[in-house]
Amino acid sequence: MPRIPIDAWRPKGIEDLEENAWRALRAQENIAVVAGPGAGKTEFLAQRAAFLLETGLCPDPRLILAISFKRDAATNLADRVERRCRPDLARRFVSMTFDAFAKSLLDRFVAALPVPWRPILPYKVVFASARDISGFIQQATQAAPRGEWQGEIAAIPTGQFESHGLGSLPLHDGLLEPTNGRQWAILRWWRESLEVPGGSRLTFVMINRLAELLLRTNPQILRALRATYSHVFLDEFQDTTHAQYALLRTAFGGDTVLTAVGDDKQRIMTWAGARPDAFARFQGDFGAERIALLCNYRSSPDLVRIQHVVARAIEPEAAAAVSMAPRSVDGDVAQIWHFNREATEAERISAWIAQDRALTRLGARDYCILVRQRADKVEALLERAFAAQGLALRNESAVIGRTTLQDLLAEDLTEMALAILRLATAERAPAAWTTVAEAITLLRAVDRQNEAACRRVECERDAFLTTLRARLAAEVPNGETAGQVMQEVIAFLDPAALARSVPRYTTGETLEIAGEALSLHFAASAEGAADWSAALDRCEGIEQIPLLTIHKSKGLEYHTVFFLGLDDSQWWSHTAANPEGLATFFVALSRAKQRVFFTYCAARGTRRKVDDLYTLLRQAGVQETAP
DNA sequence: CTACCGACGGTTTTT
DNA sequence: CCGTCGGTAG
């Protein structure tokens, strides 16, 4: 296949790029791309991948590795590259999460770890709860060999032990001799976790640290890794933790070309262990040039202007973004709504949305209810009023069985099972056909060359679909039938085959948890649904207004955003001008494409702590009204 | 058994 | 800031 000359390369699927994006796209050195909300970070990375592959700057057989924090971000990026590139090139783009990257290194080369750090196999991935850690700190305090260390250990903040303690202590070839109480406690944690008869218990922070040690002590593995990947992309770089940063330095501190993308103004994960200086250090440690993307393809000019007031409060030097999205609504694009009673608040929001929908024909998913925390409380508060207006809410973080709604909807199992049910209810569902065909090929492990085998599998599939179609046609949707039907669909897909063919389902209880939750959720969706197709719509959240926390909304966008509860009780941890609080507010504000409304309800509490946020809105010219 | 007090967690991802 | 949980006094 011919390579495209660098100067002749054009972007795929979009018109053009802004000037700085072109410069960043063509860079052959490490770069730090600072991209505010709506700048098209993911699109930029997808275009850069296409550029590097199609021009041969990433030469065959070398690969591009893209590292994201969340699974959905990793999948999303891989999908975009697939849509932009020939299959043989897209195959050389590897997109995974940080944790999956660290774990894959550990799993492949565990035997190369220095003996004192080698886990007992099979090790188990565990998630240390705050309770586990505070319990550990308590007993470590008791057991500390020196009096002066005891106070030091007792003073370790529970929330920082894993990220700042375990995450930032480098491991060494041999056993380490602790020089202070903190180190003693961290090493004790390591020994207790590694020396579990029957299998070590490792958290992802530990897996990151072990992967880093592995590369540092095995130059030949490090060389092989660097030979594999010519370029590495790092998404949401502002959220990099201590352990991840250390792994990056060891793994790619050589001649790999790194592209880090992110926005310090959207750094809202430091409380969960993100290091506050990742971007700044990256520029120093990796000699990366800083390139700022200035366009905002999401929000209208009026919203971008309001966002800029908040952006400057976070970073006084912040450059103003240029809105590329025309305004499409009349009236104020931002308002503060003041209520006395929660019932009035719920009623006015729902009535407003119902009326707006009637006028504009926007879909339910063009609106969004954002909260700082405790989405279930807000769901209970709004549900009745919304139902009275014929609106449905979808609490994305609702707990279903042992998982949550949004995790369940991201499961491969869910995608496959719902596609089968779509085929059994809808007249035409081309996307569902593709999904089902691919799923069956994967799960039945049919050789495409073997025509007889293919036909047999197709017959089996059609027979199942015919029976299912007849069954659904004969029954009115209800919870009990829906639960049973889902179990049958899962049985048809075959849990054993899923465990064999989907890496995610190979170990642990993930498949079982997803199966359970899917049956529960489909049952709940079918209860009171007009027909089976409506039950499936409900299951997928079509025509439901999303309700989610700011943290979950990162990276998403909505035409009209309601931020519910700009008050001290939702913002209990906020203090004036603290960067993380301002960043959280900035993320909420910048989800909106056209309109954003903040609500305050006196019955919920005061607004002293959040006074600085109101001041910023006032400075930006946002009016307060009592609708 | 109940009533009250103080401590603590909340916003999250990851195979 | 506010709800929950565990402990203890009555």
Side-chain angles (χ1 to χ4, degrees):
Chain A
M1 282 286 184
R3 287 177 180 183
I4 302 174
I6 291 173
D7 292 328
W9 188 89
R10 296 295 308 162
K12 302 277 165 311
I14 54 169
E15 279 293 294
D16 203 352
L17 294 163
E18 65 174 285
E19 198 186 316
N20 282 355
W22 269 113
R23 200 152 62 81
L25 183 117
R26 293 198 173 112
Q28 303 204 29
E29 304 293 331
N30 295 339
I31 47 169
V33 179
V34 180
K41 260 183 314 130
T42 311
E43 187 57 41
F44 163 75
L45 288 177
Q47 296 293 342
R48 178 154 160 87
F51 170 78
L52 294 170
L53 293 165
E54 290 176 345
T55 56
L57 285 172
C58 169
D60 195 22
R62 298 187 82 192
L63 311 176
I64 299 173
L65 172 66
I67 302 182
S68 310
F69 287 86
K70 293 168 41 172
R71 286 193 310 125
D72 62 344
T75 330
N76 190 341
L77 186 52
D79 289 347
R80 282 211 209 188
V81 172
E82 238 168 73
R83 267 182 273 132
R84 311 247 176 287
C85 278
R86 294 199 318 260
D88 60 313
L89 295 178
R91 235 172 288 134
R92 291 200 285 122
F93 183 78
V94 180
S95 185
M96 60 175 112
T97 63
F98 233 118
D99 290 329
F101 171 64
K103 186 169 186 293
S104 69
L105 285 171
L106 178 66
D107 290 346
R108 274 164 66 201
F109 304 113
V110 68
L113 270 173
V115 176
W117 302 103
R118 216 173 283 167
I120 297 171
L121 302 177
Y123 71 84
K124 191 170 185 293
V125 178
V126 296
F127 305 97
S129 69
R131 222 167 266 278
D132 296 337
I133 290 168
S134 69
F136 168 80
I137 290 175
Q138 259 178 33
Q139 54 107 336
T141 307
Q142 301 284 311
R146 293 209 214 161
E148 70 266 31
W149 288 1
Q150 295 191 345
E152 205 187 318
I153 297 167
I156 299 173
T158 310
Q160 291 195 355
F161 177 76
E162 211 193 349
S163 55
H164 293 65
L166 268 177
S168 57
L169 183 72
L171 308 178
H172 291 280
D173 227 326
L175 276 170
L176 229 95
E177 212 35 66
T179 57
N180 59 46
R182 219 193 82 181
Q183 281 185 11
W184 183 84
I186 295 166
L187 293 170
R188 183 185 167 91
W189 175 281
W190 271 109
R191 303 274 41 111
E192 282 185 4
S193 306
L194 285 169
E195 289 158 15
V196 181
S200 303
R201 298 165 55 83
L202 306 178
T203 67
F204 275 110
V205 173
M206 299 168 82
I207 291 171
N208 265 281
R209 286 280 25 159
L210 290 176
E212 191 273 338
L213 176 69
L214 174 81
L215 295 177
R216 187 153 39 82
T217 51
N218 290 276
Q220 72 293 354
I221 297 177
L222 184 60
R223 267 199 305 277
L225 178 73
R226 290 180 179 177
T228 307
Y229 302 110
S230 65
H231 295 76
V232 173
F233 294 177
L234 304 157
D235 197 9
E236 302 271 24
F237 195 72
Q238 77 281 356
D239 289 332
T240 307
T241 64
H242 289 271
Q244 289 165 341
Y245 192 85
L247 174 57
L248 272 185
R249 269 194 88 162
T250 303
F252 302 115
D255 57 359
T256 315
V257 179
L258 299 181
T259 307
V261 175
D263 180 14
D264 277 332
K265 298 190 296 306
Q266 295 180 74
R267 192 173 54 224
I268 60 175
M269 299 300 286
T270 53
W271 62 274
R275 54 184 301 165
D277 57 350
F279 242 124
R281 288 197 55 134
F282 177 71
Q283 289 169 61
D285 292 345
F286 292 83
E289 186 196 350
R290 182 186 165 97
I291 300 177
L293 303 188
L294 297 171
C295 291
N296 182 330
Y297 296 95
R298 173 186 302 156
S299 305
S300 73
D302 303 86
L303 282 178
V304 168
R305 195 178 36 76
I306 298 168
Q307 288 166 19
H308 187 55
V309 174
V310 180
R312 267 203 330 247
I314 304 170
E315 274 175 16
E317 318 295 308
V322 181
S323 168
M324 307 298 276
R327 175 170 170 152
S328 66
V329 294
D330 296 326
D332 287 353
V333 297
Q335 280 178 351
I336 300 160
W337 287 5
H338 191 127
F339 301 99
N340 290 320
R341 295 174 48 241
E342 286 190 311
T344 323
E345 181 186 40
E347 184 196 300
R348 294 295 144 78
I349 295 174
S350 53
W352 191 94
I353 295 177
Q355 195 191 3
D356 193 59
R357 288 205 58 185
L359 289 170
T360 60
R361 317 218 158 260
L362 288 174
R365 299 195 80 88
D366 289 320
Y367 303 86
C368 156
I369 311 287
L370 279 189
V371 293
R372 174 73 239 269
Q373 61 178 200
R374 292 181 203 185
D376 6 356
K377 293 259 145 80
V378 176
E379 183 185 19
L381 174 74
L382 297 179
E383 224 170 13
R384 277 168 170 280
F386 272 60
Q389 296 285 352
L391 302 171
L393 266 179
R394 184 174 181 88
N395 177 3
E396 302 278 353
S397 36
V399 173
I400 299 175
R402 286 181 283 168
T403 183
T404 63
L405 188 54
Q406 72 162 19
D407 290 342
L408 176 63
L409 265 283
E411 289 292 346
D412 290 330
L413 175 70
T414 307
E415 195 193 359
M416 294 172 183
L418 293 184
I420 288 182
L421 285 159
R422 281 284 176 206
L423 291 187
T425 52
E427 288 294 306
R428 292 176 38 81
W433 266 116
T434 319
T435 306
V436 172
E438 279 172 8
I440 304 276
T441 312
L442 177 78
L443 296 176
R444 298 293 187 267
V446 262
D447 177 4
R448 280 173 199 269
Q449 310 297 323
N450 184 342
E451 275 185 37
C454 284
R455 208 154 333 114
R456 189 157 26 81
V457 167
E458 277 166 26
C459 284
E460 185 209 359
R461 175 198 66 197
D462 293 340
F464 180 76
L465 280 173
T466 309
T467 318
L468 187 60
R469 207 170 280 135
R471 168 146 193 211
L472 294 181
E475 298 207 49
V476 177
N478 67 73
E480 201 186 328
T481 316
Q484 283 167 13
V485 164
M486 187 54 86
Q487 309 236 330
E488 283 165 30
V489 171
I490 295 171
F492 168 73
L493 286 169
D494 185 1
L498 283 157
R500 254 195 322 271
S501 323
V502 183
R504 204 177 135 66
Y505 298 147
T506 310
T507 57
E509 292 184 290
T510 321
L511 178 59
E512 210 185 312
I513 293 172
E516 248 169 56
L518 191 52
S519 299
L520 282 172
H521 178 52
F522 188 50
S525 307
E527 208 58 70
D531 53 44
W532 286 103
S533 162
L536 282 171
D537 286 354
R538 263 208 219 164
C539 198
E540 290 182 66
I542 292 165
E543 280 304 296
Q544 295 184 335
I545 297 171
L547 162 65
L548 61 172
T549 60
I550 302 174
H551 283 81
K552 286 199 196 297
S553 77
K554 216 166 148 203
L556 305 177
E557 57 181 31
Y558 300 91
H559 178 281
T560 297
V561 170
F562 284 87
F563 183 86
L564 200 136
L566 191 51
D567 57 49
D568 293 353
S569 79
Q570 284 239 344
W571 292 77
W572 53 271
S573 63
H574 184 70
T575 49
N578 86 82
E580 188 117 335
L582 285 171
T584 308
F585 186 60
F586 183 66
V587 169
L589 177 65
S590 57
R591 297 311 93 202
K593 296 200 266 190
Q594 291 292 333
R595 276 182 306 220
V596 58
F597 301 111
F598 297 89
T599 75
Y600 171 76
C601 182
R604 244 191 327 257
T606 51
R607 53 197 239 188
R608 262 187 307 270
K609 289 184 172 200
V610 285
D611 185 54
D612 64 324
L613 304 180
Y614 281 97
T615 306
L616 287 171
L617 289 178
R618 228 173 294 128
Q619 272 172 27
V622 178
Q623 300 291 313
E624 182 154 355
T625 68

